[in-house]
Amino acid sequence: MAEKIIIIVLSVFAALAILYLLFGLVYFIFIRVFKRKIKKNSKAVNLLLVQRTDIMKEIVEIAKSNDILLPSDDVENIALLNHISDFQTLTKEDRDQRILSFMHSSRNLITLCSRNTLIKDSKEFLNALSKYKDIEESYRQISALYNSDVIGFNYWINVIFIRPFMKISKVKNKDLIV
């Protein structure tokens, strides 16, 4: 009788251990999937940020070639995104500050150019503006995908059964982007 109880108890523990391992495997698969998606979308975000900067520099050059006086603060904020190949290497605060300053200044410069009679109807400016709007739309879509993947990744690494393994592996939460 005692042997049957021991066998039942051991069977229950073995079943629970197998169940725990299966859940752990599922969690690690989800973590890996989200990590792969984040990496892919991170590259796309980096590319789009570089393209945004290049198009804004083009718009600044169009304005300057038409002798339009641009606020120096806005032109400097456009340059904040120059020569950064991987924005995820920056701290969240620095990255957000640079991107928000860029966005604010780019809107200011585009509005200024759009109101200027010298270039508002020029083919060169309208082409650059069209490219910028396309890149902006792509950036919004990719950053939304990136942020949703980050939320999923952060959820799965913080599941109570997996969190100890993630701390041992030094896996940290990822930051959302603007």
Side-chain angles (χ1 to χ4, degrees):
M1 183 75 171
E3 289 177 9
K4 287 185 179 181
I5 293 176
I6 292 174
I7 291 174
I8 291 173
V9 169
L10 289 176
S11 297
V12 168
F13 281 127
L16 289 175
I18 290 171
L19 190 60
Y20 183 76
L21 289 174
L22 286 175
F23 281 130
L25 180 63
V26 169
Y27 290 129
F28 284 114
I29 289 170
F30 276 113
I31 289 168
R32 188 176 175 110
V33 166
F34 280 114
K35 197 171 189 176
R36 196 174 300 137
K37 286 181 173 184
I38 289 169
K39 187 175 184 178
K40 181 185 103 182
N41 288 334
S42 176
K43 289 178 183 178
V45 165
N46 286 327
L47 177 65
L48 289 169
L49 286 172
V50 168
Q51 289 176 340
R52 285 166 95 189
T53 304
D54 291 344
I55 295 294
M56 277 312 299
K57 287 193 286 186
E58 185 180 324
I59 290 172
V60 166
E61 288 305 313
I62 292 168
K64 286 181 178 178
S65 69
N66 286 286
D67 297 325
I68 297 173
L69 185 61
L70 301 174
S72 60
D73 288 349
D74 288 333
V75 174
E76 289 172 11
N77 286 340
I78 297 302
L80 284 174
L81 297 183
N82 277 345
H83 309 296
I84 301 172
S85 59
D86 187 0
F87 290 88
Q88 282 69 26
T89 59
L90 301 172
T91 63
K92 178 170 176 45
E93 294 78 24
D94 185 29
R95 181 180 62 231
D96 289 352
Q97 185 271 327
R98 286 177 189 236
I99 292 173
L100 290 173
S101 296
F102 174 87
M103 290 170 64
H104 176 73
S105 293
S106 63
R107 282 192 202 109
N108 288 347
L109 293 175
I110 288 172
T111 301
L112 182 69
C113 291
S114 296
R115 291 182 180 165
N116 189 293
T117 56
L118 293 173
I119 67 168
K120 74 176 185 175
D121 295 323
S122 79
K123 187 175 181 180
E124 191 178 27
F125 174 69
L126 292 175
N127 284 340
L129 186 58
S130 176
K131 284 191 258 179
Y132 183 79
K133 287 180 179 179
D134 289 344
I135 291 169
E136 277 295 300
E137 180 62 29
S138 295
Y139 178 80
R140 278 189 225 104
Q141 291 173 357
I142 292 295
S143 63
L145 285 172
Y146 176 89
N147 286 337
S148 68
D149 291 336
V150 165
I151 290 168
F153 177 82
N154 290 344
Y155 169 80
W156 286 105
I157 68 167
N158 287 305
V159 170
I160 196 158
F161 301 113
I162 299 300
R163 194 175 321 144
F165 298 112
M166 294 297 108
K167 287 189 181 204
I168 290 170
S169 302
K170 296 183 181 176
V171 175
K172 295 180 182 178
N173 284 338
K174 303 236 181 243
D175 294 322
L176 300 175
I177 59 172
V178 178

